[in-house]
Amino acid sequence: MRALAWLAVALLGCLALMPARAAAETITVTDVAGRQVSVSVPVRRVILGEGRQIHVTAALDREDPFGRIVGWGEDFEKSDPDTYAAYLARFPQAASLPRFGSPNSGAFDIEKAISLQPDLVVLGAETQRPAEEIRLVERLAAVGIPVVYVDFRHAPSRNTEPSVRLLGQLFGRREVAEALIAFRATETARVTTRLAAAGQLARPLVMLDRIPGYTDECCLSFGNENFGAMAAAAGGVNLGSELLPGTFGTINPETIIVRDPDVVIVTGGNWEALAPNGAWVGLGPGADLGKAQAKLATLAMRPAFRSTKAVRTGRVHAIWHQFYTSPYQFVALQRIARWVHLELFADLDPEETLRRLHERFLPIAYRPGYWIDLQH
């Protein structure tokens, strides 16, 4: 009788678990690296290989953005401290999440990842080669942990929508993902459709000055992707697209002087943790825009820029660098379009677009501070 009683208890326990197990299913997805990956969905325990991937996962899990995150990259706090602080103020539990270094530097702790028993590890596509070198995917697969690659940095014009859609599928948030994709497409079309209807327009030459003041190097820029693709989609000609074979590269000062750009756009952020007291333009939520403008004016006087048409006419601007690694590049596209073709986009309000994005999708309140002009 005692044995039968224990059997009855065991059966009841199994029956209690059946609904939870039935809710899960194993599917095969294709990530942005073209890999076929089998994952049990919806995932409940996730490691974000890059902390800044919270920019998309928080939109998918707006009510509880850290509910399924069991570990994340250490980059968010260092590279985007103002946004990190905003999330921490609303969700203090984020401070206790285990941190991971990047596979790019060989600092991703595989043993620690395994100990957290995640259902999924999400990595940026730029880490694929170094991850392969340390056999990260193989070692995690050996204990049943799948890895998917997403990309918001190297080819965001091609990979942002598939990345959002992939994460929405894995998180069980397809409807939210599709709503975000639709919002992004609509806001992008407010620029591209109007440009197409305008016909032949003069396309100003744009120099994208990537993170000046972070180091003394001049001049980092973008090729035909990321901010480079945004400048082209906004109706400009990106100087780096002509000179750089990849997404990122360097343009020498003499070339800038000779080409004499019509518009200069600097990317800036808060890098106090990484480059203390640097000459970088501090931008981001709640930024001191007066201080940012003063720094932009100083950067405009560097030898490569001070005699350019852009400086002479006051067409020098700065924008938040972190747009380059989030699904919200459409906001930057709108802002760049106004700088490049103000007469065509005078009624376009990228700040209102960013505010609506926060109100509709994000769990933190909007605070201005994402761009500044050399002159008001």
Side-chain angles (χ1 to χ4, degrees):
M1 292 295 292
R2 183 175 295 176
L4 287 173
W6 278 109
L7 179 59
V9 171
L11 287 171
L12 287 172
C14 290
L15 289 171
L17 288 174
M18 282 181 67
R21 289 178 178 172
E25 63 173 318
T26 298
I27 62 172
T28 299
V29 297
T30 302
D31 68 9
V32 298
R35 300 165 54 253
Q36 300 287 306
V37 185
S38 294
V39 185
S40 181
V41 296
V43 292
R44 303 296 186 191
R45 298 176 61 81
V46 178
I47 292 176
L48 301 179
E50 181 174 308
R52 283 169 289 180
Q53 289 163 348
I54 199 71
H55 287 302
V56 60
T57 61
L60 298 176
D61 283 334
R62 183 180 185 185
E63 299 304 317
D64 189 9
F66 297 97
R68 73 180 89 217
I69 307 303
V70 298
W72 59 345
E74 63 187 9
D75 58 285
F76 189 29
E77 182 177 5
K78 296 177 179 179
S79 298
D80 189 5
D82 299 322
T83 311
Y84 172 80
Y87 274 97
L88 194 62
R90 177 84 188 275
F91 306 99
Q93 66 269 34
S96 61
L97 286 175
R99 310 297 177 89
F100 288 84
S102 172
N104 284 334
S105 60
F108 187 93
D109 189 331
I110 299 175
E111 286 72 24
K112 182 167 72 171
I114 293 171
S115 74
L116 295 172
Q117 300 180 311
D119 303 319
L120 179 71
V121 174
V122 182
L123 297 178
E126 72 280 358
T127 69
Q128 184 175 7
R129 180 172 294 179
E132 290 173 350
E133 291 174 355
I134 61 174
R135 299 179 57 247
L136 188 156
V137 175
E138 294 174 57
R139 292 167 67 183
L140 292 177
V143 292
I145 301 171
V147 173
V148 296
Y149 290 103
V150 297
D151 177 36
F152 302 102
R153 181 184 288 113
H154 275 270
S157 63
R158 181 174 71 247
N159 289 333
T160 293
E161 288 190 10
S163 295
V164 173
R165 186 168 285 118
L166 172 65
L167 292 175
Q169 185 177 11
L170 297 177
F171 280 33
R173 295 285 193 265
R174 291 189 191 215
E175 289 186 5
V176 178
E178 292 303 326
L180 179 58
I181 289 169
F183 184 85
R184 180 177 184 272
T186 297
E187 296 303 323
T188 298
R190 295 177 68 191
V191 173
T192 56
T193 301
R194 191 176 300 187
L195 277 170
Q200 294 297 320
L201 286 174
R203 296 174 64 89
L205 182 64
V206 179
M207 170 61 198
L208 293 164
D209 193 11
R210 182 165 63 95
I211 60 172
Y214 185 88
T215 70
D216 293 332
E217 185 175 3
C218 184
C219 299
L220 302 178
S221 194
F222 295 87
N224 60 6
E225 250 301 350
N226 206 294
F227 269 105
M230 295 180 227
V237 174
N238 173 39
L239 179 58
S241 296
E242 303 176 10
L243 304 173
L244 305 177
T247 302
F248 309 106
T250 302
I251 300 175
N252 67 59
E254 292 77 15
T255 298
I256 297 169
I257 293 169
V258 170
R259 294 302 304 275
D260 194 17
D262 300 293
V263 181
V264 170
I265 300 174
V266 165
T267 69
N270 181 353
W271 292 297
E272 192 61 42
L274 298 171
N277 303 313
W280 36 266
V281 178
L283 294 173
D288 182 338
L289 293 182
K291 185 176 180 180
Q293 188 178 52
K295 283 191 168 185
L296 180 60
T298 299
L299 289 171
M301 289 298 101
R302 289 171 295 162
F305 296 92
R306 62 189 176 204
S307 297
T308 62
K309 186 185 304 180
V311 173
R312 294 196 307 271
T313 59
R315 299 182 73 182
V316 178
H317 316 278
I319 194 165
W320 189 50
H321 182 71
Q322 301 305 330
F323 280 124
Y324 95 125
T325 186
S326 85
Y328 311 137
Q329 302 100 344
F330 58 87
V331 179
L333 170 65
Q334 290 186 359
R335 180 63 268 185
I336 293 169
R338 277 183 57 93
W339 286 330
V340 174
H341 292 292
L342 178 58
E343 69 290 345
L344 188 61
F345 295 105
D347 62 329
L348 188 61
D349 187 349
E351 186 163 357
E352 178 59 23
T353 300
L354 189 51
R355 189 186 307 278
R356 286 189 290 111
L357 172 71
H358 279 73
E359 291 173 351
R360 183 172 173 187
F361 291 101
L362 298 179
I364 57 173
Y366 172 71
R367 298 173 66 200
Y370 291 89
W371 43 72
I372 193 66
D373 302 317
L374 182 62
Q375 300 175 345
H376 284 300

